[in-house]
Amino acid sequence: MKYFRWIALTLMIIALILPLITFLLKAFARGWFFPQIIPRTWSLAAWERLFSPQSDLLPALLNSGIIALTVTGVALAIGFPAARVLGIGHFPGKRWILLVLLAPALVPPLAVSMGLSTQFLRLGLSGTWIGVSIAHLIPVLPYVILTLSGLFARYDLRYEEQARSLGAGSWAIFRRITLPMLWPGVIAAGLFAFLISWSQYLLTFLIGGGRVITLPILLFASTSGGDNAVIAALSLVMIAPALLVLIFASRSLEQGTIR
Amino acid sequence: MRFWWLLLLLLATFSVDAQTEEAPQPLPAPPGFESWQAVLDQARGTTIYWYVWGGSEAINAFIDTFYGEPLLEEYGITLERVPVVDTVDVVNLILSEQSADIIDTGGVVDLIWINGENFATLKQADMLYQDWAETIPNSVLVNWEDPAIAYDFGVPVEGDESPWSSAQLHFIYDSARMSEDQLPSNYDELTVWIEQNPGRFTYIAPGPGAFQGTRFVKQVLYHVSGGYEQWVGPWNPTLYAEWAPRLWDYLNVWETNLWRGGETYPATENELLQLFANGEVDFALTQATSGAETYISQGLIPETSRAFTLTEYAIGDYNYVAIPRNATNKAAALIVANLLLRPDRQAGHILPESGFGLGYAISLDRVNEEDRALLEASLAQLGETAADPAALAAAFAPDLAPESQSVIEQDWEANVLR
């Protein structure tokens, strides 16, 4: 059993790390052709271009970060109470509500995006980061609600009753009982929210109208070409914050677990 | 800049002395503007949003400096280049603005790099700013009588888009692997070459997003049917039905000797370039006047790569910029379109440093002596990694009508791929 765990761990590390190594090599290589196992010429050209004063990279990083964090915050604020009702409550039509909430995750994105784009234009939300953030909530919310409502389904309300009987107010119950107990789930839902928003291309392009340049807009544009060094460098920049969030999240997951 | 003053001067002379017969016809002002001066005045101090395919960092950087700097310094216009994955996304953006009743102004897109189907879609949707391309000062340098310019994939341009550069499909080989005299010079020699070198040739699978592959198959169609002349003009399904079986036969004869026995084909230009770079096949395709150098300088293919063309049927066309009907900053868009045609900019974009190295959109016969020297010097600079411009010109063939595109793609899949 112990060996099995080690093998699984090693395989996972290989699956996760090996592609990253290829990206690292590619991002610093120039003209890496078969049969060279390791690039013959190294170059910082791709990085110099990405970080040159003319490059759109830094503003794009900032945009992506602001939007993803906003979306995460708002999605949790909306998703948490919704998931509580859906996870704990029993009422007629609950299944239908769930279906409607999940619909954006099931319908092809282009169909949704084109219609949304027209509506957002009418509302004057297009071309703004706020509009883009609101649009991101649509694919994000189903994941957040689903993750959290699953947790609430197994959540024992009697802990809250106990606290209330000891004189705790609503806020104290939320802060001292509900949140700590559900913390791992909240972190997981937040992670989903952040990563889904962080990697949106089509919605960002259509709602942002090309005026809100985020990292995926740059990355997708460059993958449509063939400059492997730039694609690899951009991909690394794209993965880096996601990895950081993941590491941070996994640490707080460990801390938050009730043993 | 000098050219521009010269033109103004010419125009001024004309208005003073109307009898001068040699002075060119004064250009009408772009629709919605009093004069070109009004365009310049209105554009100063504004920002233009130009939506450009963003797949190449080299092109991106080139656009930002080579056009962005003169725009700011000479015209007071800030260029915001918006990178796009596929121009069809921009078309969708404009169409959704249309359905939100943003029709005549207020759109986010000021200028698009465009051609073919996307142009046809916007024209059909009546979402293009019209009749402007022959009103910008440098449009006099464009030979609008050339059908290759006046028709974009068979759709009449009618002043709704202005050319930027030209492209012509030809081949790349590696001079370290084979010598010049081993190269096939026509399609029959290519057939022999494929037979003698099994597994060493392939072409891009015709399909949406891989028009180079479709174009290559059209070139073979011209060869099989004995010339392109009969194909000029509207799409002729009868003629196609007559020759298509021969075309598929011709390609199927190749198939067993193609890369991977023709079971699969590279899906994009870049996949073919990578197969070539990694030594799996011996030929790649390019559209660039600057030939192999464009890709060499980006480190995509070996430095010993060279470009060449077969003696016949190298399909060429032009690419354009268009202004949406609802563009907010049409004045600045007109100025950018005009700048793209300026001889000193044209002399720059054909060089590999531009990232695309495509050919001229202006005609060498229509520029003054000084500019002509400049343009010729640029051509001479292309050197040994480019195909001989004279050979390319001799092999030129126009593209088929746009209806052919999807028909050929579907039939190829049914008759060759399967």
Side-chain angles (χ1 to χ4, degrees), chain B residues 261-283:
Chain B
E263 267 173 42
T264 178
Y265 290 78
T268 63
E269 187 186 16
N270 284 304
E271 282 186 29
L272 179 58
L273 278 172
Q274 284 184 9
L275 289 179
F276 171 75
N278 291 328
E280 292 198 55
V281 296
D282 285 326
F283 298 109

Side-chain angles (χ1 to χ4, degrees), chain B residues 23 33 40 43 59 61 78 128 131 139 150 156 173 185 194 201 235 241 288 318 325 335 350 362-363 371 386 409:
Chain B
F33 294 91
L40 293 172
I59 298 180
T78 308
L128 286 173
D131 304 321
S139 67
Y173 74 104
S185 69
I194 292 168
F201 184 84
W235 177 233
Y318 287 79
R325 178 173 166 187
I335 290 169
I350 75 157
I362 58 176
S363 162
D371 287 335
E409 285 163 5

Side-chain angles (χ1 to χ4, degrees), chain A residues 34 117 122 201 209 211 221 224, chain B residues 51 53 55 89 96 99 108 278:
Chain A
F34 184 81
S117 167
R122 290 223 170 92
Y201 165 73
R211 295 285 170 91
S224 71
Chain B
Y51 288 57
W53 176 75
D89 294 341
S96 58
S99 53
V108 288
N278 291 328

